[in-house]
Amino acid sequence: MVPPSSVEAAAPPLAGPMAAPHVPGYLDQTYWWAYVHPKAVHFFEREWLVNLILFGNYKRLCDAALTELGAAVQGRTLQMACVYGDLTPRLLGRLAPEARLDVVDVLPIQLHNLAAKLPRDERVTLLHGDSSALACADASYDQVLLFFLLHEQPEHVRRGTLAEALRVVKPGGKVVIVDYHRPGGLHPLRPLMRQVFRHLEPFAMDLWRHEVLEFLPAGVAPASVRKRTWFGGLYQMTVLVR
Ligand SMILES: C[S@@+](CC[C@H](N)C(=O)[O-])C[C@H]1O[C@@H](n2cnc3c(N)ncnc32)[C@H](O)[C@@H]1O
């Protein structure tokens, strides 16, 4: 387990103590070009580019996640992993006055990048930690958000992440998952996305082949599950209520 340490949001972004960086092998080997290398962060931190990668669906998917979390987001929210673009600033903008937002990411460079995008706000805490081994108490969050995280993780890490999300959310709380999904058989982007996944995102096909529910720990049954898809089925939002 990586003990989380906090990074204070906004300038000075590195005010908090940092734990020794621990970079999972799949990030270092498979996703260095997207998240690990400083030039990658500089390159990808452009909303138009993220929107292009999502074929124009970035805002729609962010809107869906934010709507699911509420017009005024109450209680304690955990965002598992940083996201390029304005999702987290928008989420912060919806926090109720007494609400709290924690964002956990395993890469300090991503936490620093996020800190630079956020206004100083004591309701936000950025945590250095691994989504599959959180140092958070059971049932300590009202909702958990996973935005395009699961498809990047090897199966054993994905299973750990979902187990942790369901462990730390309170009974009755939501786990909101936005990610890839199997598109319809005649979807014109199927061949292209297959090639993208084959060459760049080797774990993503798992979300074409399986429902998110299939990666939950044995014996863990959410109280309810809702799924909605967009763009011919290429994207999904699955909401688990514990
Ligand atoms: C949320 S995912 C993909 C987001 C999306 N593609 C975007 O537009 O940014 C990317 C983030 O996940 C983080 N991440 C990957 N594996 C992680 C893990 N095991 N624990 C915490 N963060 C992780 C990476 O460091 C990176 O910041």
Side-chain angles (χ1 to χ4, degrees):
M1 185 183 290
V2 179
S5 56
S6 54
V7 177
E8 193 178 322
L14 303 182
M18 299 295 299
H22 157 81
V23 182
Y26 66 90
L27 280 180
D28 232 1
Q29 289 148 29
T30 307
Y31 281 107
W32 61 268
W33 55 271
Y35 304 115
V36 183
H37 197 286
K39 284 189 177 161
V41 181
H42 180 68
F43 181 74
F44 282 104
E45 188 51 81
R46 295 156 213 263
E47 212 166 295
W48 66 264
L49 181 56
V50 179
N51 193 37
L52 185 68
I53 291 167
L54 293 174
F55 302 105
N57 288 280
Y58 179 71
K59 184 169 182 305
R60 179 202 275 201
L61 295 169
C62 289
D63 286 351
L66 292 170
T67 300
E68 192 60 48
L69 293 173
V73 179
Q74 308 285 344
R76 293 191 71 206
T77 301
L78 175 66
Q79 181 185 323
M80 282 181 155
C82 298
V83 174
Y84 291 132
D86 67 353
L87 174 63
T88 312
R90 289 183 65 196
L91 176 50
L92 176 56
R94 288 180 171 231
L95 281 193
E98 303 303 318
R100 292 283 180 275
L101 170 64
D102 291 351
V103 184
V104 65
D105 201 290
V106 77
L107 290 178
I109 192 171
Q110 288 292 333
L111 293 165
H112 296 169
N113 182 55
L114 176 58
K117 292 192 288 182
L118 297 177
R120 181 178 289 278
D121 191 319
E122 63 186 17
R123 296 171 300 171
V124 186
T125 305
L126 307 188
L127 300 167
H128 181 212
D130 191 311
S131 62
S132 65
L134 296 174
C136 308
D138 294 356
S140 48
Y141 288 97
D142 295 277
Q143 53 258 326
V144 178
L145 173 63
L146 291 84
F147 194 86
F148 282 92
L149 174 63
L150 295 179
H151 77 279
E152 295 183 346
Q153 298 187 319
E155 182 176 336
H156 69 283
V157 182
R158 185 183 313 125
R159 285 183 181 279
T161 294
L162 284 167
E164 286 293 76
L166 282 166
R167 179 182 70 77
V168 302
V169 78
K170 295 175 183 172
K174 283 179 189 174
V175 178
V176 177
I177 298 157
V178 177
D179 217 309
Y180 286 110
H181 179 268
R182 185 183 192 83
L186 296 177
H187 199 297
L189 293 172
R190 248 179 113 103
L192 172 66
M193 291 312 294
R194 264 185 194 283
Q195 291 308 317
V196 170
F197 290 165
R198 175 170 299 163
H199 295 290
L200 294 175
E201 307 218 69
F203 315 113
M205 282 302 287
D206 287 358
L207 294 186
W208 280 27
R209 296 190 185 113
H210 303 280
E211 296 292 338
V212 166
L213 280 185
E214 295 175 55
F215 300 109
L216 297 189
V220 171
S224 73
V225 180
R226 270 185 291 122
K227 184 177 85 172
R228 185 177 165 195
T229 64
W230 290 269
F231 202 57
L234 184 58
Y235 306 114
Q236 66 177 306
M237 179 168 71
T238 294
V239 180
L240 312 176
V241 176
R242 178 171 168 193

